Protein backbone atom coordinates (compact mmCIF):
# COMPACT_ATOMS: atom_id res chain seq x y z
CA UNK A 1 0.00 0.00 0.00
CA UNK A 2 2.73 2.41 1.00
CA UNK A 3 4.82 1.29 -1.97
CA UNK A 4 1.86 1.85 -4.26
CA UNK A 5 1.35 5.34 -2.90
CA UNK A 6 4.93 6.27 -3.71
CA UNK A 7 4.78 4.80 -7.17
CA UNK A 8 1.53 6.61 -7.98
CA UNK A 9 2.66 9.91 -6.46
CA UNK A 10 6.23 9.75 -7.65
CA UNK A 11 5.63 12.41 -10.29
CA UNK A 12 3.76 14.68 -7.87
CA UNK A 13 6.48 14.25 -5.26
CA UNK A 14 9.08 15.09 -7.84
CA UNK A 15 7.24 18.28 -8.65
CA UNK A 16 6.89 19.26 -4.98
CA UNK A 17 10.56 18.49 -4.43
CA UNK A 18 11.57 20.71 -7.35
CA UNK A 19 9.41 23.50 -5.95
CA UNK A 20 10.98 23.13 -2.51
CA UNK A 21 14.44 23.22 -4.06
CA UNK A 22 13.58 26.44 -5.88
CA UNK A 23 12.33 28.06 -2.65
CA UNK A 24 15.47 26.94 -0.84
CA UNK A 25 17.62 28.42 -3.61
CA UNK A 26 15.88 31.76 -3.18
CA UNK A 27 16.23 31.88 0.61
CA UNK A 28 19.99 32.44 0.75
CA UNK A 29 19.57 35.44 -1.55
CA UNK A 30 17.40 37.08 1.10
CA UNK A 31 19.81 36.08 3.84
CA UNK A 32 22.79 37.38 1.87
CA UNK A 33 20.94 40.63 1.37
CA UNK A 34 20.35 40.96 5.09
CA UNK A 35 23.94 40.08 5.78
CA UNK A 36 25.08 42.70 3.31
CA UNK A 37 22.92 45.29 5.03
CA UNK A 38 24.40 44.36 8.36
CA UNK A 39 27.90 44.67 6.95
CA UNK A 40 27.09 48.06 5.51
CA UNK A 41 26.45 49.57 8.88
CA UNK A 42 29.88 49.82 10.50
CA UNK A 43 31.45 52.82 12.18
CA UNK A 44 33.22 53.74 8.97
CA UNK A 45 30.27 55.58 7.44
CA UNK A 46 31.09 59.13 6.48
CA UNK A 47 27.93 60.94 7.49
CA UNK A 48 25.44 58.95 5.48
CA UNK A 49 22.62 61.32 6.45
CA UNK A 50 23.64 63.52 3.54
CA UNK A 51 22.06 60.98 1.22
CA UNK A 52 18.54 61.63 2.34
CA UNK A 53 19.00 65.35 2.80
CA UNK A 54 20.65 66.27 -0.46
CA UNK A 55 19.52 63.86 -3.12
CA UNK A 56 16.46 63.57 -5.26
CA UNK A 57 14.91 60.15 -5.67
CA UNK A 58 16.71 59.02 -8.80
CA UNK A 59 20.17 60.04 -7.69
CA UNK A 60 19.41 58.56 -4.28
CA UNK A 61 18.76 55.24 -5.96
CA UNK A 62 21.91 55.57 -8.00
CA UNK A 63 23.96 56.32 -4.92
CA UNK A 64 22.40 53.51 -2.98
CA UNK A 65 23.21 51.04 -5.72
CA UNK A 66 26.69 52.35 -6.13
CA UNK A 67 27.34 52.16 -2.38
CA UNK A 68 25.76 48.77 -2.08
CA UNK A 69 28.05 47.46 -4.77
CA UNK A 70 31.09 48.91 -3.07
CA UNK A 71 29.88 47.30 0.17
CA UNK A 72 30.23 50.53 1.98
CA UNK A 73 27.25 52.51 3.10
CA UNK A 74 23.50 52.42 2.79
CA UNK A 75 20.79 55.00 2.61
CA UNK A 76 19.01 54.13 5.82
CA UNK A 77 22.14 53.78 7.94
CA UNK A 78 21.23 56.63 10.37
CA UNK A 79 18.13 54.75 11.48
CA UNK A 80 20.13 51.59 12.03
CA UNK A 81 22.89 53.44 13.82
CA UNK A 82 20.42 54.61 16.43
CA UNK A 83 19.62 50.98 17.17
CA UNK A 84 23.28 50.11 17.65
CA UNK A 85 24.58 49.31 21.09
CA UNK A 86 26.47 52.40 22.15
CA UNK A 87 28.33 53.28 25.31
CA UNK A 88 29.07 56.87 26.24
CA UNK A 89 31.97 57.06 28.68
CA UNK A 90 31.76 60.25 30.73
CA UNK A 91 34.35 61.77 33.07
CA UNK A 92 33.37 64.40 35.65
CA UNK A 93 35.22 66.92 37.83
CA UNK A 94 38.32 67.35 35.68
CA UNK A 95 40.50 68.28 34.12
CA UNK A 96 43.18 67.32 36.58
CA UNK A 97 46.70 65.93 36.52
CA UNK A 98 45.11 62.55 35.73
CA UNK A 99 43.27 63.68 32.60
CA UNK A 100 46.33 63.27 30.37
CA UNK A 101 46.45 59.58 31.33
CA UNK A 102 42.77 59.13 30.51
CA UNK A 103 43.37 60.77 27.13
CA UNK A 104 46.34 58.47 26.44
CA UNK A 105 44.24 55.38 27.16
CA UNK A 106 41.39 56.64 24.97
CA UNK A 107 43.82 57.43 22.18
CA UNK A 108 45.40 53.97 22.36
CA UNK A 109 41.93 52.41 22.18
CA UNK A 110 40.89 54.82 19.41
CA UNK A 111 37.70 55.89 21.18
CA UNK A 112 36.10 59.21 22.12
CA UNK A 113 34.48 60.18 25.41
CA UNK A 114 32.70 63.11 27.05
CA UNK A 115 34.26 65.26 29.77
CA UNK A 116 32.10 67.33 32.12
CA UNK A 117 34.61 69.88 33.33
CA UNK A 118 34.70 72.32 36.22
CA UNK A 119 35.26 75.96 35.30
CA UNK A 120 37.93 76.48 37.95
CA UNK A 121 39.88 73.53 36.54
CA UNK A 122 39.57 74.87 33.00
CA UNK A 123 41.29 78.01 34.27
CA UNK A 124 44.03 75.91 35.85
CA UNK A 125 44.62 73.44 32.99
CA UNK A 126 43.72 75.18 29.71
CA UNK A 127 46.18 72.97 27.77
CA UNK A 128 44.21 69.86 28.76
CA UNK A 129 40.97 71.41 27.54
CA UNK A 130 42.64 72.18 24.22
CA UNK A 131 43.98 68.67 23.98
CA UNK A 132 40.71 66.92 24.66
CA UNK A 133 38.95 69.21 22.20
CA UNK A 134 41.59 68.68 19.52
CA UNK A 135 41.42 64.92 19.94
CA UNK A 136 37.70 64.94 19.22
CA UNK A 137 36.24 64.37 22.68
CA UNK A 138 33.09 66.20 23.76
CA UNK A 139 33.23 68.84 26.48
CA UNK A 140 30.35 69.44 28.87
CA UNK A 141 29.78 71.98 31.64
CA UNK A 142 29.86 70.75 35.26
CA UNK A 143 29.56 74.24 36.91
CA UNK A 144 32.43 76.33 38.20
CA UNK A 145 33.21 75.03 41.70
CA UNK A 146 30.95 72.01 42.39
CA UNK A 147 29.80 73.51 45.70
CA UNK A 148 26.36 72.00 46.45
CA UNK A 149 25.42 74.64 49.07
CA UNK A 150 25.91 77.40 46.58
CA UNK A 151 24.56 75.64 43.48
CA UNK A 152 21.39 74.25 44.95
CA UNK A 153 20.17 77.10 47.11
CA UNK A 154 18.39 78.59 44.11
CA UNK A 155 18.47 78.62 40.33
CA UNK A 156 20.29 81.90 39.78
CA UNK A 157 23.56 80.93 41.55
CA UNK A 158 23.51 77.65 39.59
CA UNK A 159 22.99 79.65 36.40
CA UNK A 160 25.84 82.02 37.20
CA UNK A 161 28.28 79.11 37.52
CA UNK A 162 27.08 77.57 34.25
CA UNK A 163 27.69 80.87 32.43
CA UNK A 164 31.04 81.42 34.14
CA UNK A 165 32.27 77.95 33.11
CA UNK A 166 30.90 78.33 29.59
CA UNK A 167 32.83 81.58 29.15
CA UNK A 168 36.00 79.94 30.46
CA UNK A 169 35.69 77.02 28.01
CA UNK A 170 34.97 79.40 25.16
CA UNK A 171 38.01 81.50 26.04
CA UNK A 172 40.23 78.42 25.67
CA UNK A 173 38.80 76.58 22.65
CA UNK A 174 36.53 79.16 21.03
CA UNK A 175 33.43 76.99 21.27
CA UNK A 176 30.52 77.05 23.72
CA UNK A 177 29.04 73.83 25.00
CA UNK A 178 25.35 73.23 25.65
CA UNK A 179 25.95 69.89 27.39
CA UNK A 180 25.53 70.13 31.16
CA UNK A 181 25.85 67.68 34.01
CA UNK A 182 24.66 68.74 37.46
CA UNK A 183 27.20 68.12 40.25
CA UNK A 184 25.98 65.05 42.12
CA UNK A 185 23.40 64.47 39.36
CA UNK A 186 19.97 66.07 39.12
CA UNK A 187 18.34 63.64 41.59
CA UNK A 188 17.59 65.43 44.85
CA UNK A 189 19.00 68.66 43.38
CA UNK A 190 16.97 69.72 40.35
CA UNK A 191 13.35 70.75 40.75
CA UNK A 192 11.04 71.56 37.84
CA UNK A 193 12.37 75.12 37.68
CA UNK A 194 15.96 73.96 37.18
CA UNK A 195 14.93 71.46 34.51
CA UNK A 196 12.62 73.75 32.57
CA UNK A 197 14.80 76.88 32.64
CA UNK A 198 17.91 74.98 31.55
CA UNK A 199 15.96 73.47 28.66
CA UNK A 200 14.45 76.80 27.71
CA UNK A 201 17.93 78.36 27.70
CA UNK A 202 19.13 75.80 25.16
CA UNK A 203 21.04 73.36 27.39
CA UNK A 204 20.92 69.59 27.42
CA UNK A 205 21.20 68.25 30.98
CA UNK A 206 22.52 64.70 31.10
CA UNK A 207 22.66 62.28 34.03
CA UNK A 208 23.77 58.63 33.63
CA UNK A 209 22.35 55.12 33.75
CA UNK A 210 25.47 53.30 34.95
CA UNK A 211 27.44 54.58 37.92
CA UNK A 212 30.96 53.16 38.08
CA UNK A 213 30.85 53.91 41.81
CA UNK A 214 34.30 55.47 41.65
CA UNK A 215 33.28 58.38 43.85
CA UNK A 216 31.28 56.48 46.44
CA UNK A 217 34.18 56.55 48.85
CA UNK A 218 37.88 57.25 49.01
CA UNK A 219 40.04 55.06 46.77
CA UNK A 220 37.38 52.62 45.61
CA UNK A 221 39.53 49.73 44.26
CA UNK A 222 39.84 49.37 40.46
CA UNK A 223 38.27 45.89 40.61
CA UNK A 224 35.09 47.29 42.15
CA UNK A 225 34.95 50.10 39.60
CA UNK A 226 35.30 47.64 36.70
CA UNK A 227 32.55 45.45 38.11
CA UNK A 228 30.09 48.26 38.77
CA UNK A 229 30.77 49.92 35.42
CA UNK A 230 30.30 46.81 33.32
CA UNK A 231 28.14 44.19 35.04
CA UNK A 232 24.39 43.73 34.62
CA UNK A 233 24.15 46.04 31.63
CA UNK A 234 20.70 45.80 30.10
CA UNK A 235 20.53 49.01 28.03
CA UNK A 236 21.62 49.43 24.43
CA UNK A 237 22.44 53.07 25.16
CA UNK A 238 24.70 53.25 28.18
CA UNK A 239 25.96 56.43 29.81
CA UNK A 240 28.71 55.52 32.29
CA UNK A 241 29.62 57.91 35.11
CA UNK A 242 33.32 58.09 35.97
CA UNK A 243 35.64 60.76 37.37
CA UNK A 244 38.98 62.16 36.23
CA UNK A 245 39.35 64.67 39.06
CA UNK A 246 42.24 64.48 41.55
CA UNK A 247 42.46 61.28 43.60
CA UNK A 248 40.87 59.02 41.00
CA UNK A 249 43.95 56.94 40.16
CA UNK A 250 41.89 53.75 40.56
CA UNK A 251 39.54 54.89 37.77
CA UNK A 252 42.55 55.20 35.44
CA UNK A 253 43.62 51.66 36.41
CA UNK A 254 40.09 50.38 35.73
CA UNK A 255 39.58 52.14 32.40
CA UNK A 256 41.32 49.72 29.97
CA UNK A 257 39.32 46.77 31.35
CA UNK A 258 36.06 48.75 31.21
CA UNK A 259 36.74 49.55 27.56
CA UNK A 260 37.55 45.97 26.61
CA UNK A 261 34.53 44.58 28.44
CA UNK A 262 32.15 46.87 26.52
CA UNK A 263 33.98 46.02 23.29
CA UNK A 264 33.55 42.33 24.00
CA UNK A 265 29.81 42.88 24.44
CA UNK A 266 29.58 44.51 21.02
CA UNK A 267 29.21 48.14 22.08
CA UNK A 268 30.39 51.09 20.01
CA UNK A 269 31.85 54.11 21.77
CA UNK A 270 30.65 57.61 21.03
CA UNK A 271 30.47 61.14 22.37
CA UNK A 272 27.31 62.73 23.76
CA UNK A 273 25.74 65.39 21.54
CA UNK A 274 23.02 67.95 22.28
CA UNK A 275 20.79 66.42 19.60
CA UNK A 276 20.33 62.99 21.12
CA UNK A 277 17.72 62.00 23.65
CA UNK A 278 19.08 62.63 27.10
CA UNK A 279 19.35 60.26 30.04
CA UNK A 280 17.77 62.20 32.92
CA UNK A 281 16.62 61.40 36.42
CA UNK A 282 13.10 62.32 37.51
CA UNK A 283 12.41 65.18 39.91
CA UNK A 284 12.48 63.75 43.43
CA UNK A 285 10.11 64.56 46.26
CA UNK A 286 13.00 65.94 48.29
CA UNK A 287 13.92 68.38 45.51
CA UNK A 288 10.28 69.44 45.13
CA UNK A 289 9.97 70.24 48.82
CA UNK A 290 13.03 72.52 48.91
CA UNK A 291 11.94 76.07 49.62
CA UNK A 292 13.89 77.97 47.04
CA UNK A 293 13.62 81.52 45.85
CA UNK A 294 12.08 81.33 42.38
CA UNK A 295 13.51 83.57 39.66
CA UNK A 296 11.19 86.40 38.61
CA UNK A 297 9.61 86.66 35.17
CA UNK A 298 11.76 89.72 34.52
CA UNK A 299 14.93 87.78 35.37
CA UNK A 300 13.86 84.92 33.08
CA UNK A 301 13.15 87.37 30.26
CA UNK A 302 16.60 88.94 30.45
CA UNK A 303 18.70 85.83 31.21
CA UNK A 304 17.00 82.70 29.90
CA UNK A 305 15.04 83.73 26.83
CA UNK A 306 17.92 85.33 24.86
CA UNK A 307 20.34 82.55 25.83
CA UNK A 308 18.77 79.88 23.61
CA UNK A 309 19.75 81.99 20.61
CA UNK A 310 23.44 81.52 21.42
CA UNK A 311 23.22 77.91 20.29
CA UNK A 312 20.92 78.40 17.33
CA UNK A 313 21.91 81.71 15.74
CA UNK A 314 25.52 81.08 14.83
CA UNK A 315 26.61 81.79 11.30
CA UNK A 316 25.76 79.59 8.35
CA UNK A 317 28.55 78.73 5.92
CA UNK A 318 27.78 79.39 2.25
CA UNK A 319 30.04 77.69 -0.29
CA UNK A 320 30.16 78.94 -3.86
CA UNK A 321 32.26 76.45 -5.77
CA UNK A 322 32.19 76.69 -9.54
CA UNK A 323 28.54 76.74 -10.47
CA UNK A 324 27.48 74.94 -7.28
CA UNK A 325 26.29 76.78 -4.21
CA UNK A 326 25.48 75.06 -0.95
CA UNK A 327 24.92 75.95 2.66
CA UNK A 328 26.24 74.30 5.81
CA UNK A 329 24.27 75.27 8.88
CA UNK A 330 26.16 76.44 11.95
CA UNK A 331 25.74 73.01 13.52
CA UNK A 332 27.20 71.31 10.44
CA UNK A 333 30.69 72.75 10.61
CA UNK A 334 33.19 73.85 13.26
CA UNK A 335 35.89 76.43 13.58
CA UNK A 336 38.95 75.02 15.33
CA UNK A 337 41.84 77.39 15.93
CA UNK A 338 40.81 79.59 13.03
CA UNK A 339 40.40 76.65 10.63
CA UNK A 340 37.00 75.78 9.22
CA UNK A 341 36.51 72.03 9.66
CA UNK A 342 33.77 70.28 7.69
CA UNK A 343 32.36 66.75 7.50
CA UNK A 344 33.93 65.39 4.31
CA UNK A 345 31.09 63.38 2.81
CA UNK A 346 28.32 65.87 3.51
CA UNK A 347 30.29 68.81 2.16
CA UNK A 348 31.75 67.24 -0.95
CA UNK A 349 28.53 65.53 -1.99
CA UNK A 350 26.58 68.76 -1.66
CA UNK A 351 29.16 70.28 -4.00
CA UNK A 352 28.53 67.55 -6.54
CA UNK A 353 31.49 65.34 -5.65
CA UNK A 354 31.45 61.61 -5.05
CA UNK A 355 32.88 60.15 -1.85
CA UNK A 356 33.72 56.55 -1.14
CA UNK A 357 35.22 55.08 1.99
CA UNK A 358 37.47 52.06 2.21
CA UNK A 359 36.97 50.88 5.78
CA UNK A 360 39.71 48.26 5.65
CA UNK A 361 42.47 50.62 4.57
CA UNK A 362 40.94 53.73 6.19
CA UNK A 363 41.03 55.58 2.88
CA UNK A 364 38.55 58.17 1.66
CA UNK A 365 38.35 58.80 -2.08
CA UNK A 366 36.77 61.97 -3.42
CA UNK A 367 36.02 62.43 -7.09
CA UNK A 368 35.15 65.91 -8.23
CA UNK A 369 35.13 67.06 -11.84
CA UNK A 370 38.34 65.59 -13.26
CA UNK A 371 40.22 65.46 -9.98
CA UNK A 372 40.55 62.54 -7.58
CA UNK A 373 41.65 63.09 -4.03
CA UNK A 374 42.65 60.27 -1.74
CA UNK A 375 42.86 60.88 2.03
CA UNK A 376 44.71 58.35 4.13
CA UNK A 377 43.17 58.54 7.59
CA UNK A 378 46.06 56.69 9.25
CA UNK A 379 48.98 58.71 7.88
CA UNK A 380 47.32 62.09 7.20
CA UNK A 381 48.62 61.85 3.62
CA UNK A 382 46.56 63.52 0.87
CA UNK A 383 47.15 62.55 -2.74
CA UNK A 384 45.61 64.54 -5.58
CA UNK A 385 45.42 62.88 -8.98
CA UNK A 386 44.65 64.67 -12.21
CA UNK A 387 44.82 63.21 -15.67
CA UNK A 388 48.46 64.08 -16.12
CA UNK A 389 49.96 64.71 -12.71
CA UNK A 390 49.95 63.60 -9.11
CA UNK A 391 50.53 65.74 -6.03
CA UNK A 392 51.03 64.79 -2.45
CA UNK A 393 50.56 66.80 0.73
CA UNK A 394 51.46 65.41 4.11
CA UNK A 395 50.17 65.77 7.64
CA UNK A 396 46.82 67.44 7.20
CA UNK A 397 44.79 66.97 10.35
CA UNK A 398 41.76 64.79 9.73
CA UNK A 399 39.56 63.63 12.59
CA UNK A 400 36.82 61.08 13.05
CA UNK A 401 33.87 62.21 15.16
CA UNK A 402 31.08 59.73 15.79
CA UNK A 403 31.80 57.83 12.56
CA UNK A 404 32.19 60.98 10.47
CA UNK A 405 35.43 62.14 8.87
CA UNK A 406 36.18 65.87 9.33
CA UNK A 407 38.81 67.77 7.36
CA UNK A 408 39.88 71.40 6.92
CA UNK A 409 37.76 73.06 4.24
CA UNK A 410 40.54 75.13 2.67
CA UNK A 411 42.70 72.09 1.98
CA UNK A 412 39.70 70.08 0.76
CA UNK A 413 38.84 72.74 -1.81
CA UNK A 414 42.48 73.29 -2.82
CA UNK A 415 43.11 69.59 -3.28
CA UNK A 416 40.04 69.20 -5.49
CA UNK A 417 41.16 71.94 -7.85
CA UNK A 418 39.72 75.12 -6.29
CA UNK A 419 42.79 77.01 -5.26
CA UNK A 420 41.65 80.63 -5.38
CA UNK A 421 39.32 81.32 -2.53
CA UNK A 422 37.83 84.34 -0.84
CA UNK A 423 35.94 84.57 2.40
CA UNK A 424 33.35 87.19 3.36
CA UNK A 425 31.58 87.41 6.65
CA UNK A 426 28.53 89.30 7.90
CA UNK A 427 26.09 88.95 10.80
CA UNK A 428 24.33 85.90 9.38
CA UNK A 429 26.86 84.04 7.29
CA UNK A 430 30.37 83.19 6.22
CA UNK A 431 30.60 83.02 2.44
CA UNK A 432 33.44 81.24 0.68
CA UNK A 433 33.90 81.70 -3.05
CA UNK A 434 36.25 79.85 -5.36
CA UNK A 435 37.27 80.87 -8.85
ZN1 LIG B 1 30.99 66.03 39.92
Amino acid sequence: MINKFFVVNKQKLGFVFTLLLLVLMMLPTQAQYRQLNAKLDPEGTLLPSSVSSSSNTSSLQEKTIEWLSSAEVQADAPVKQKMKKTVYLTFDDGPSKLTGKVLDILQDSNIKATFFVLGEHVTRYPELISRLHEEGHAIGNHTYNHNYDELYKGFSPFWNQIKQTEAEIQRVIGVRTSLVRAPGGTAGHFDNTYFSLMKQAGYQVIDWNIDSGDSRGRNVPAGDIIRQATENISNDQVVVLMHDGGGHEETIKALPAIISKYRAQGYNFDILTPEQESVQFKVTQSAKSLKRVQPSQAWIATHIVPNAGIFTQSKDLILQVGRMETKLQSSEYRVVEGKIMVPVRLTMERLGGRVTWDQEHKLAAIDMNSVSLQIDMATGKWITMRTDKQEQINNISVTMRGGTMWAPLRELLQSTGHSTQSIHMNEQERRIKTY
Side-chain angles (χ1 to χ4, degrees):
M1 177 70 185
I2 290 170
N3 272 348
K4 200 179 165 196
F5 174 84
F6 272 110
V7 173
V8 170
N9 290 287
K10 207 174 176 180
Q11 260 186 322
K12 275 187 193 165
L13 275 171
F15 179 68
V16 170
F17 181 74
T18 316
L19 259 181
L20 258 173
L21 202 70
L22 267 171
V23 169
L24 278 172
M25 277 169 71
M26 284 176 75
L27 274 177
T29 322
Q30 292 284 326
Q32 273 166 359
Y33 179 67
R34 274 196 300 272
Q35 206 179 24
L36 180 60
N37 270 352
K39 260 193 224 157
L40 296 175
D41 188 25
E43 293 160 74
T45 55
L46 297 174
L47 212 80
S49 58
S50 60
V51 177
S52 46
S53 60
S54 65
S55 309
N56 60 30
T57 321
S58 66
S59 72
L60 174 68
Q61 276 166 353
E62 252 170 59
K63 276 177 183 153
T64 310
I65 291 163
E66 169 194 303
W67 280 343
L68 281 172
S69 60
S70 65
E72 185 218 6
V73 131
Q74 60 175 352
D76 62 349
V79 181
K80 292 206 160 190
Q81 267 180 343
K82 268 188 206 152
M83 317 285 287
K84 274 203 306 203
K85 284 165 76 172
T86 307
V87 57
Y88 304 92
L89 301 180
T90 68
F91 297 90
D92 289 10
D93 300 358
S96 78
K97 288 195 174 107
L98 297 176
T99 305
K101 288 183 185 157
V102 174
L103 289 173
D104 291 344
I105 296 170
L106 295 174
Q107 198 167 37
D108 287 345
S109 315
N110 195 25
I111 61 181
K112 308 292 176 211
T114 304
F115 291 78
F116 290 97
V117 300
L118 290 172
E120 58 182 10
H121 291 183
V122 178
T123 315
R124 207 173 304 157
Y125 303 104
E127 68 288 350
L128 284 170
I129 295 293
S130 300
R131 182 178 165 195
L132 65 91
H133 178 61
E134 282 301 307
E135 292 180 5
H137 303 289
I139 298 174
N141 188 331
H142 197 44
T143 75
Y144 196 80
N145 68 11
H146 212 278
N147 182 322
Y148 290 6
D149 291 342
E150 211 178 292
L151 292 166
Y152 299 128
K153 75 180 171 217
F155 184 75
S156 81
F158 180 86
W159 174 260
N160 290 341
Q161 288 209 23
I162 290 294
K163 295 309 288 180
Q164 196 182 356
T165 304
E166 183 180 304
E168 206 47 21
I169 295 169
Q170 195 191 14
R171 187 182 61 78
V172 179
I173 57 166
V175 179
R176 290 172 194 265
T177 179
S178 62
L179 299 174
V180 170
R181 177 169 283 157
T186 61
H189 296 136
F190 267 37
D191 55 20
N192 286 319
T193 304
Y194 277 66
F195 271 120
S196 73
L197 291 183
M198 286 300 281
K199 190 175 177 191
Q200 207 184 326
Y203 296 100
Q204 171 82 303
V205 177
I206 299 156
D207 286 307
W208 55 86
N209 52 21
I210 291 293
D211 182 353
S212 70
D214 67 346
S215 66
R216 280 194 196 139
R218 279 184 159 270
N219 296 322
V220 179
D224 290 2
I225 298 171
I226 296 167
R227 198 159 28 77
Q228 294 182 76
T230 58
E231 281 183 7
N232 305 317
I233 308 297
S234 53
N235 292 309
D236 278 355
Q237 306 291 307
V238 183
V239 180
V240 184
L241 171 69
M242 288 180 281
H243 294 82
D244 65 329
H248 283 282
E249 284 83 359
E250 291 298 305
T251 304
I252 315 288
K253 275 190 220 163
L255 186 56
I258 292 172
I259 292 169
S260 56
K261 280 178 187 266
Y262 275 100
R263 270 225 168 108
Q265 291 181 58
Y267 280 87
N268 291 290
F269 295 81
D270 211 341
I271 55 172
L272 292 167
T273 65
E275 293 80 30
Q276 71 204 79
E277 206 182 320
S278 174
V279 171
Q280 264 177 8
F281 300 137
K282 299 240 175 331
V283 176
T284 59
Q285 211 48 49
S286 63
K288 266 188 206 164
S289 59
L290 292 170
K291 300 259 177 298
R292 286 164 168 160
V293 183
Q294 294 297 316
S296 68
Q297 283 309 314
W299 187 89
I300 293 171
T302 50
H303 292 82
I304 302 298
V305 178
N307 197 81
I310 289 175
F311 299 107
T312 54
Q313 285 171 6
S314 319
K315 290 180 174 59
D316 290 334
L317 175 66
I318 315 286
L319 300 175
Q320 269 180 275
V321 175
R323 267 179 284 166
M324 301 291 285
E325 178 172 320
T326 191
K327 180 167 91 175
L328 296 188
Q329 285 169 357
S330 57
S331 58
E332 291 177 317
Y333 73 98
R334 299 186 298 142
V335 181
V336 181
E337 293 184 342
K339 259 183 189 293
I340 297 177
M341 299 288 287
V342 294
V344 173
R345 181 185 289 283
L346 176 118
T347 309
M348 298 318 279
E349 288 189 347
R350 284 195 191 166
L351 291 171
R354 199 170 71 98
V355 182
T356 47
W357 171 245
D358 176 348
Q359 168 72 14
E360 193 190 340
H361 302 100
K362 300 263 185 285
L363 286 176
I366 299 151
D367 287 297
M368 210 176 169
N369 305 325
S370 54
V371 184
S372 297
L373 166 66
Q374 199 179 62
I375 301 177
D376 187 330
M377 184 70 200
T379 61
K381 208 183 274 177
W382 290 34
I383 298 173
T384 304
M385 282 162 285
R386 283 164 228 258
T387 31
D388 49 347
K389 60 176 180 183
Q390 187 168 323
E391 278 165 45
Q392 186 177 317
I393 321 171
N394 291 319
N395 301 322
I396 299 180
S397 69
V398 178
T399 52
M400 291 299 282
R401 289 166 61 86
T404 302
M405 181 193 265
W406 289 68
L409 178 65
R410 175 180 288 274
E411 282 81 355
L412 259 184
L413 291 176
Q414 267 169 5
S415 306
T416 48
H418 309 280
S419 43
T420 324
Q421 302 165 15
S422 74
I423 179 160
H424 298 282
M425 229 190 311
N426 62 27
E427 286 283 290
Q428 293 83 35
E429 62 178 44
R430 289 186 163 85
R431 181 174 285 268
I432 291 180
K433 252 182 170 171
T434 69
Y435 304 96

